[in-house]
Amino acid sequence: MRIALAQLNPTIGALRENTDAIKDHYRLGEKGGADLVVFTELALCGYPPRDLLLYESFLNRERELLTEEVLPLTEGSGPPIMIGATHRQGNRLYNGAFILEHGNIKSIHLKTLLPYFEVFDEERYFTRCTDRQIEMLGNLKTAVTVCEDIWNDRDFFPNQLYDVDPLEWLFTEEPRLLINLSASPYHLGKHRLREEMLSFLAKKYKSGIIYLNQVGGNDELIFDGSSLVFNDRGELLYRAAACDEELFFIETDDLFQPAKKNVDPDSDDIGTVLQLLKLGTGDYVRKTGFSRAVLGLSGGIDSAVVAALAAEALGPENVLGLIMPSPYSSRHSVEDAVELAGNLGIAYRIIEIDRPFETYINLLNEGEKPLQDVAEENLQARIRGDILMHFSNREGYMALVAGNKSELAVGYCTLYGDMAGGLGVISDLPKMKVYELAEHLNNIKGKTIIPRRTINKAPSAELSPGQKDEDSLPPYEVLDQILEMYVEQNRSPAEIIEKGYAGETVEQVVLMVDRAEFKRHQAAPGLRITSRAFGRGWRMPIARGYEYSKKV
Amino acid sequence: MRIALAQLNPTIGALRENTDAIKDHYRLGEKGGADLVVFTELALCGYPPRDLLLYESFLNRERELLTEEVLPLTEGSGPPIMIGATHRQGNRLYNGAFILEHGNIKSIHLKTLLPYFEVFDEERYFTRCTDRQIEMLGNLKTAVTVCEDIWNDRDFFPNQLYDVDPLEWLFTEEPRLLINLSASPYHLGKHRLREEMLSFLAKKYKSGIIYLNQVGGNDELIFDGSSLVFNDRGELLYRAAACDEELFFIETDDLFQPAKKNVDPDSDDIGTVLQLLKLGTGDYVRKTGFSRAVLGLSGGIDSAVVAALAAEALGPENVLGLIMPSPYSSRHSVEDAVELAGNLGIAYRIIEIDRPFETYINLLNEGEKPLQDVAEENLQARIRGDILMHFSNREGYMALVAGNKSELAVGYCTLYGDMAGGLGVISDLPKMKVYELAEHLNNIKGKTIIPRRTINKAPSAELSPGQKDEDSLPPYEVLDQILEMYVEQNRSPAEIIEKGYAGETVEQVVLMVDRAEFKRHQAAPGLRITSRAFGRGWRMPIARGYEYSKKV
């Protein structure tokens, strides 16, 4: 049997466009001689459709397109389709894998395990289904599953998140093939985990595995694609494109014999991060209806890296850099920003913020002189935000936010100032990773893209004379390690101190994180790279006691 | 038996302070002759603790305070305690009601129904417990439940959200008393629903009911308290304070005889809304460590109502109004704002934004003349945001946002401009309700608080010459009705049009709502008044197709 697999990049809720893409790829699969064409989880909606699922009319429209446009493709000699879609029974909504054959719905396999951790909310929308059945694809006994259903193996994971494992039930019937329709967003380390787990399952169950994953950026989530095929020995036979659409074919015979050639296992590195951020940026800009982006260039490393990512994602001709020196900016900042723009081939404008700053000071300060307090630091950042948004509003640029995760964690950023914009491109990238990415960008281009001085100089917000980040923050090497433990691993201050970090530093950092919640609540959506990004997967109270921080 | 019930206002995560309040109220209960002292759901954490629950050290500290400080109170002659707290078994976390007696944990009743709709995420943290047992309180067979556990009656609700009903199991044992520990946030209509349901349950099961609810504002959620006691005939015996802490006592004998006097049923009205917004505003400001608030006064009704609420919540001496006329402001705007400040007795400052606006225009426009486009409208709003935040940052005021729900729904507001601030006080109040609240404020004070002209004049953002809201929006009477159907009731455009609204208007409104998602994503937390506020209970994709809107 020849199976066509469509790794597509849907836009959430764009039912018409997504259906058209499904139909196009079905025809390509048919033309390629497929006996079955497979699509990803919730392929018509795009994943995650979120609260669109609460609208009955949305569900009706999805079902209408499925039955009136997708289903008829399989009439006559058209090959069957396997596709993810919602399924209603009375008041209950299920997340299903549909098998469409000869113009009929042959069967529906409903998702059992509904993730409700990290960024996921599936319990909000769907009912768990505990009935499972084996599908016969021709003569091939097949277990058809949706995404999370395969992620609860008791021999692979030290802890199980769910009480049941659908694979255990399904494999009592001894299927020879497992197909999984996924929409599984990326985070650092996921490639290796995914491949190891799938290989383990193939070996454990002596089953071929076809893992088909959605690709593309949807708000903060980046789906990497990287669909996988394993034979029943757990050998990786094929890996589809990371970060791109792909239609590929597999012969099921290949699943039951030794691999003809080795596909090396994948483990993600800074190159993966680059690819993903490029995909996430490009998709967010385009899927919100923009084609161009504007950002402030400070001469520092964060905005330099974001400018480079934007140029990669949108083309340098679609990126505008605003260089907005203040009275406290050093001369080299403007030079470095200009050099960066030249290296990238993006347009730039220099707009000094001295005059608006003076006007505000005259208006707001009694002595009409700067007081150089935090309010004035924020004011400078907000003037830049105003100017950035002015370009966005007047000329139709998406404004990009250049803050990194370390800053956002401790609140070293100004609401409505440097936080202003539509997308936080590196807001889930710790500062030390930003450096790594800068070096990587220079390496792969074989020339200096991010100016050396930008990489080498001490980070500074340049909002007061001679200011350096490290005046008020621990060195980033230390800060990032503490943040990883506190934010991503849910460790307490006491546990972090036990690992050898200075008590005072840890307490300071934790308190800064806790107190900056009000800023993060109003942050732009930020592309997710780690398992715990701020945003939809980080749900913290704002008005709160600090007992926890103080109890070290 | 005499039971003391403590309706308290905890701060989320303030384990130390919340424990102290519990201990104080236990002693008051003991002094009042109580045989049992009862506290609300997750009383030490405060509800909802959200992702604090993912920190093991937080859970450990909660348990430590429960066992080392609360439990010992019951040693010797101290009466038992019933209190909500988390409970771990292996990897599983449960939401429990603990009975503490003679220095021991006598029993734990674990929550079965975990809400995961609207603003709730309990499946993210807790495991459903399906074991239930009856508690003997003295000789009184009692069903002890936590919040949602009582909200699934098949005879009361047309649809059941859950497959099981813990009360059905529990009442097979024929308990005579039902105690429910709640932390149940308010929304419009909830008072009546709650009282009708509890009365129904009392009659159905011929059981007395003690319903104890948390009080206080926690971020956007406002818990109204209003704890209730019903006898086994379904008669309401007692209703505790709405929007305030209260320790009250009941004699269980009273639960099994006809009511001695009638307590009138409660249905909420604009007076309830006023009380709740006052509570929510005051608590948010205080629980984030502020005591004073600043807001812009435009002369319009929204900022007038928010100023009045702030004055009520914080005292007029703690509220500062900034009157920031632009070149396009009408003279009456300043007069009306000044009159309002006088009526309220709050301080105000007049700061014209002409000069910063001119400075920006000189800097950004080639001809150095205003173009009067949307970018410049936003710019004016952002200058006001800058000034507002300057006062907030320099002088330690919480900045309040005055936008209403109708504006936020259709995006008739400026990111970082009039949307700037720490709390959206009326961001879940539709414009027509804002009018109602303004009239109510004037009525209860018996004099003009909100100036008549402010109420009577046509709403305008005054960002371009002669601008009126209704130039770009349908009349608010119509807009609010469409929004209620689309946003709160999840109706489709087609369904709304069927009810007799103009197709073009409905399509325009729905498209505006959909397209404004990026603004709402960065909005300040806003006090929840309706069942569907924007914010944590509204989870929509930003980058999305509009198929749904267009399919009318």
Side-chain angles (χ1 to χ4, degrees):
Chain A
M1 189 167 51
R2 186 170 167 81
I3 302 182
L5 296 131
Q7 174 180 298
L8 302 183
N9 183 348
T11 295
I12 304 299
L15 296 170
R16 173 76 272 154
E17 292 84 343
N18 297 342
T19 303
D20 289 345
I22 288 165
K23 288 159 73 177
D24 290 348
H25 284 80
Y26 176 82
R27 292 195 192 98
L28 290 172
E30 188 179 17
K31 205 172 289 178
D35 304 302
L36 172 70
V37 187
V38 185
F39 298 91
T40 53
E41 181 180 17
L42 297 184
L44 290 93
C45 303
Y47 190 92
R50 303 193 185 276
D51 279 5
L52 292 176
L53 294 174
L54 302 182
Y55 286 77
E56 207 174 298
S57 50
F58 181 81
L59 300 173
N60 289 343
R61 179 68 177 147
E62 185 214 15
R63 176 52 69 99
E64 190 178 288
L65 288 165
L66 183 74
T67 54
E68 293 180 14
E69 303 207 15
V70 180
L71 189 60
L73 299 171
T74 65
E75 288 169 2
S77 64
I81 291 174
M82 184 182 298
I83 187 167
T86 68
H87 180 59
R88 264 187 298 175
Q89 286 180 348
N91 288 325
R92 306 277 185 247
L93 187 69
Y94 296 91
N95 183 345
F98 285 64
I99 317 282
L100 313 177
E101 193 176 72
H102 304 314
N104 293 309
I105 296 175
K106 182 188 170 200
S107 62
I108 314 177
H109 301 263
L110 303 177
K111 193 170 183 176
T112 305
L113 304 185
L114 302 176
Y116 48 81
F117 50 84
E118 292 177 3
V119 297
F120 301 105
D121 280 321
E122 290 204 19
E123 290 278 356
R124 182 175 174 89
Y125 311 109
F126 296 113
T127 299
R128 307 173 195 179
C129 176
T130 49
D131 287 345
R132 306 301 305 224
Q133 77 275 24
I134 287 293
E135 182 71 33
M136 292 304 296
L137 294 178
N139 294 323
L140 195 57
K141 267 179 145 174
T142 304
V144 178
T145 56
V146 181
C147 205
E148 188 78 355
D149 280 345
I150 61 172
W151 287 86
N152 200 37
D153 190 88
R154 73 170 78 199
D155 298 318
F156 185 80
F157 293 103
N159 295 312
Q160 290 187 284
L161 275 179
Y162 309 89
D163 287 331
V164 296
D165 180 354
L167 294 189
E168 286 186 5
W169 315 337
L170 284 165
F171 277 95
T172 56
E173 301 284 327
E174 299 185 345
R176 296 184 63 209
L177 172 61
L178 168 65
I179 301 184
N180 184 258
L181 310 190
S182 273
S184 182
Y186 176 81
H187 61 74
L188 268 173
K190 194 154 191 181
H191 282 178
R192 175 180 302 214
L193 174 67
R194 187 194 280 158
E195 296 193 4
E196 287 180 357
M197 190 203 65
L198 289 171
S199 172
F200 181 90
L201 291 178
K203 277 184 276 194
K204 172 175 173 174
Y205 290 117
K206 299 182 180 60
S207 168
I209 296 183
I210 296 174
Y211 170 87
L212 183 65
N213 193 21
Q214 175 179 293
V215 70
N218 290 321
D219 290 357
E220 67 276 71
L221 300 184
I222 312 171
F223 297 83
D224 59 316
S226 307
S227 297
L228 300 163
V229 181
F230 290 85
N231 67 13
D232 61 2
R233 290 149 180 85
E235 294 169 319
L236 181 57
L237 302 184
Y238 188 75
R239 181 189 304 112
C243 302
D244 213 344
E245 293 195 327
E246 183 176 340
L247 179 78
F248 62 102
F249 295 84
I250 66 135
E251 302 289 341
T252 50
D253 285 351
D254 292 343
L255 301 173
F256 311 111
Q257 50 181 288
K260 284 163 196 158
K261 59 176 179 138
N262 280 335
V263 180
D264 288 335
D266 190 27
S267 60
D268 36 57
D269 55 17
I270 199 69
T272 317
V273 170
L274 171 59
Q275 266 192 303
L276 283 157
L277 290 179
K278 184 181 153 185
L279 175 67
T281 304
D283 273 359
Y284 189 79
V285 170
R286 281 183 289 262
K287 290 179 182 182
T288 49
F290 289 80
S291 56
R292 305 187 301 168
V294 62
L295 79 162
L297 299 182
S298 70
I301 192 160
D302 298 316
S303 57
V305 164
V306 172
L309 287 165
E312 287 276 319
L314 307 172
E317 69 282 9
N318 290 314
V319 180
L320 171 65
L322 298 180
I323 303 172
M324 297 178 278
S326 81
Y328 307 117
S329 295
S330 32
R331 203 167 45 81
H332 65 73
S333 295
V334 175
E335 292 169 3
D336 294 345
V338 170
E339 185 188 335
L340 172 81
N343 293 351
L344 290 172
I346 65 173
Y348 68 89
R349 285 190 55 176
I350 301 178
I351 302 173
E352 293 183 359
I353 66 164
D354 301 50
R355 278 192 291 153
F357 186 61
E358 281 162 26
T359 306
Y360 276 122
I361 294 300
N362 288 339
L363 197 63
L364 298 168
N365 285 7
E366 288 198 15
E368 306 197 353
K369 287 235 169 71
L371 302 181
Q372 299 192 358
D373 62 353
V374 171
E376 286 178 12
E377 296 187 15
N378 286 328
L379 182 57
Q380 294 167 68
R382 290 195 182 110
I383 292 168
R384 294 193 178 109
D386 291 343
I387 295 170
L388 185 73
M389 292 309 295
H390 195 74
F391 276 83
S392 172
N393 293 160
R394 176 164 284 167
E395 302 185 19
Y397 290 98
M398 164 70 70
L400 300 178
V401 186
N404 62 61
K405 186 178 196 174
S406 314
E407 289 173 357
L408 190 60
V410 295
Y412 200 77
C413 47
T414 298
L415 259 180
Y416 326 132
D418 53 321
M419 291 179 72
L423 180 72
V425 174
I426 57 169
S427 68
D428 194 35
L429 212 58
K431 185 78 172 187
M432 298 308 294
K433 284 268 178 212
V434 179
Y435 282 108
E436 210 184 316
L437 189 52
E439 297 287 5
H440 178 70
L441 279 159
N442 285 352
N443 286 343
I444 53 165
K445 296 288 176 188
K447 60 178 182 176
T448 298
I449 299 291
I450 315 292
R452 282 307 333 159
R453 194 162 57 184
T454 290
I455 296 178
N456 293 337
K457 67 187 168 188
S460 167
E462 296 198 324
L463 294 170
S464 62
Q467 186 179 39
K468 297 276 171 290
D469 291 11
E470 293 194 3
D471 299 342
S472 39
L473 299 176
Y476 281 111
E477 294 85 344
V478 176
L479 178 62
D480 281 1
Q481 290 167 25
I482 296 173
L483 289 174
E484 185 177 344
M485 287 183 274
Y486 186 54
V487 174
E488 290 173 46
Q489 299 166 8
N490 299 341
R491 306 259 184 220
S492 71
E495 291 167 287
I496 299 169
I497 291 166
E498 237 169 61
K499 290 189 183 288
Y501 295 85
E504 206 180 323
T505 307
V506 173
E507 285 180 49
Q508 178 208 0
V509 168
V510 163
L511 201 59
M512 288 177 92
V513 172
D514 290 354
R515 289 198 170 148
E517 204 53 56
F518 74 102
K519 294 189 184 181
R520 288 188 292 268
H521 190 90
Q522 296 188 44
L527 298 176
R528 177 174 179 252
I529 286 297
T530 72
S531 60
R532 196 96 198 275
F534 298 118
R536 281 165 169 150
W538 171 266
R539 303 180 186 177
M540 281 289 179
I542 303 171
R544 55 174 285 197
Y546 299 96
E547 170 72 23
Y548 172 60
S549 321
K550 279 186 247 147
K551 177 76 189 175
V552 291
Chain B
M1 188 166 51
R2 186 170 166 80
I3 302 182
L5 296 131
Q7 174 180 297
L8 301 183
N9 184 347
T11 295
I12 304 298
L15 296 170
R16 173 77 269 155
E17 292 83 344
N18 297 342
T19 302
D20 289 344
I22 288 164
K23 288 159 73 177
D24 290 347
H25 284 81
Y26 176 83
R27 291 195 194 98
L28 290 171
E30 188 178 17
K31 204 173 289 177
D35 304 302
L36 172 70
V37 187
V38 184
F39 297 91
T40 52
E41 181 179 19
L42 298 184
L44 291 92
C45 301
Y47 189 92
R50 302 193 184 277
D51 279 6
L52 292 175
L53 294 175
L54 302 182
Y55 285 77
E56 206 174 300
S57 50
F58 181 80
L59 300 173
N60 289 341
R61 178 67 176 148
E62 183 213 15
R63 176 52 69 100
E64 190 178 289
L65 288 165
L66 183 74
T67 54
E68 293 179 13
E69 304 207 11
V70 181
L71 189 60
L73 299 170
T74 64
E75 287 170 2
S77 63
I81 291 174
M82 184 182 299
I83 187 167
T86 67
H87 180 58
R88 263 186 299 176
Q89 286 180 346
N91 288 326
R92 306 278 185 245
L93 187 68
Y94 297 91
N95 183 347
F98 285 65
I99 317 281
L100 313 178
E101 192 176 72
H102 304 315
N104 293 310
I105 296 174
K106 182 188 171 202
S107 62
I108 314 177
H109 302 263
L110 304 176
K111 193 171 183 175
T112 304
L113 305 184
L114 302 175
Y116 48 81
F117 50 85
E118 293 175 2
V119 297
F120 300 106
D121 280 321
E122 290 204 20
E123 290 277 355
R124 182 175 172 88
Y125 310 109
F126 297 113
T127 300
R128 308 173 194 178
C129 176
T130 49
D131 288 344
R132 306 301 306 224
Q133 77 276 22
I134 288 292
E135 183 71 32
M136 292 304 295
L137 294 179
N139 294 323
L140 195 57
K141 266 179 146 176
T142 304
V144 179
T145 56
V146 180
C147 205
E148 188 78 355
D149 279 345
I150 61 172
W151 287 86
N152 200 37
D153 190 88
R154 73 170 78 199
D155 298 318
F156 185 81
F157 293 103
N159 296 310
Q160 290 187 284
L161 275 178
Y162 309 88
D163 288 331
V164 296
D165 179 355
L167 295 189
E168 286 186 6
W169 315 337
L170 284 164
F171 277 95
T172 57
E173 301 284 326
E174 300 184 345
R176 297 186 61 209
L177 172 60
L178 167 64
I179 300 185
N180 184 258
L181 309 190
S182 273
S184 182
Y186 176 81
H187 61 73
L188 268 174
K190 194 156 192 179
H191 282 178
R192 175 180 300 215
L193 174 67
R194 187 194 281 156
E195 296 193 5
E196 287 180 357
M197 190 203 64
L198 290 172
S199 172
F200 180 91
L201 291 178
K203 278 185 274 193
K204 172 175 173 174
Y205 289 118
K206 299 181 179 60
S207 168
I209 296 184
I210 296 173
Y211 170 86
L212 182 65
N213 193 21
Q214 175 179 294
V215 71
N218 290 321
D219 290 357
E220 66 276 72
L221 300 184
I222 312 171
F223 297 82
D224 58 317
S226 307
S227 297
L228 300 163
V229 181
F230 289 85
N231 67 13
D232 62 1
R233 291 149 179 85
E235 294 169 319
L236 181 57
L237 303 184
Y238 188 75
R239 181 189 304 111
C243 303
D244 212 345
E245 293 195 326
E246 182 176 339
L247 180 76
F248 62 102
F249 295 84
I250 66 135
E251 301 290 341
T252 51
D253 285 350
D254 293 342
L255 300 173
F256 310 111
Q257 50 181 288
K260 285 162 194 158
K261 58 174 179 137
N262 281 336
V263 180
D264 288 335
D266 190 27
S267 61
D268 35 57
D269 55 16
I270 198 68
T272 318
V273 171
L274 170 60
Q275 266 191 304
L276 283 157
L277 290 178
K278 182 180 155 185
L279 176 67
T281 303
D283 273 359
Y284 189 79
V285 170
R286 281 184 289 263
K287 290 179 181 181
T288 50
F290 289 80
S291 56
R292 304 187 302 167
V294 63
L295 79 162
L297 300 182
S298 70
I301 192 160
D302 298 315
S303 57
V305 165
V306 172
L309 287 166
E312 287 275 318
L314 307 171
E317 69 282 9
N318 291 314
V319 180
L320 172 64
L322 298 180
I323 303 172
M324 298 178 279
S326 81
Y328 308 116
S329 295
S330 33
R331 200 166 47 80
H332 66 73
S333 296
V334 175
E335 292 168 5
D336 294 345
V338 170
E339 185 188 335
L340 172 82
N343 294 351
L344 290 172
I346 65 173
Y348 68 89
R349 285 191 55 176
I350 301 178
I351 302 173
E352 294 183 358
I353 66 164
D354 302 48
R355 279 192 290 154
F357 186 61
E358 282 161 26
T359 306
Y360 275 122
I361 295 300
N362 288 339
L363 197 63
L364 298 168
N365 286 7
E366 289 200 13
E368 304 197 354
K369 287 232 168 74
L371 302 182
Q372 299 192 358
D373 62 354
V374 171
E376 285 177 13
E377 296 187 15
N378 285 329
L379 182 57
Q380 293 167 68
R382 289 195 183 111
I383 291 167
R384 294 195 178 108
D386 291 343
I387 295 170
L388 185 74
M389 292 307 296
H390 195 75
F391 276 83
S392 171
N393 292 160
R394 177 164 284 168
E395 302 185 20
Y397 290 98
M398 164 70 71
L400 300 178
V401 185
N404 62 61
K405 187 178 194 174
S406 313
E407 290 174 355
L408 190 60
V410 295
Y412 200 77
C413 48
T414 297
L415 260 180
Y416 325 133
D418 53 321
M419 292 179 72
L423 179 72
V425 175
I426 56 169
S427 67
D428 194 35
L429 212 57
K431 185 79 172 188
M432 297 310 294
K433 284 267 178 212
V434 179
Y435 282 109
E436 210 185 317
L437 189 53
E439 297 287 5
H440 178 71
L441 279 160
N442 284 351
N443 286 342
I444 55 166
K445 296 290 175 186
K447 60 176 181 178
T448 299
I449 299 291
I450 315 291
R452 282 305 337 156
R453 192 162 59 184
T454 290
I455 296 178
N456 292 336
K457 68 187 167 188
S460 167
E462 296 196 325
L463 294 170
S464 62
Q467 185 178 38
K468 297 276 172 290
D469 290 11
E470 295 194 4
D471 299 342
S472 38
L473 298 176
Y476 280 111
E477 294 85 344
V478 176
L479 178 62
D480 281 1
Q481 290 167 25
I482 296 173
L483 288 174
E484 185 177 344
M485 287 183 273
Y486 185 56
V487 173
E488 290 174 46
Q489 298 165 8
N490 299 342
R491 306 260 184 219
S492 71
E495 292 167 285
I496 299 169
I497 292 166
E498 238 169 60
K499 291 190 182 286
Y501 295 85
E504 206 180 323
T505 307
V506 173
E507 285 181 48
Q508 178 208 359
V509 169
V510 163
L511 200 60
M512 288 176 92
V513 173
D514 290 353
R515 289 199 170 146
E517 204 53 56
F518 74 101
K519 293 189 185 181
R520 288 189 291 269
H521 191 90
Q522 296 188 44
L527 298 177
R528 177 176 180 252
I529 286 295
T530 72
S531 60
R532 196 97 198 274
F534 299 118
R536 281 165 168 150
W538 171 267
R539 303 182 186 177
M540 281 289 179
I542 303 171
R544 54 175 283 198
Y546 298 97
E547 170 73 24
Y548 172 59
S549 320
K550 278 187 250 149
K551 177 75 189 174
V552 291

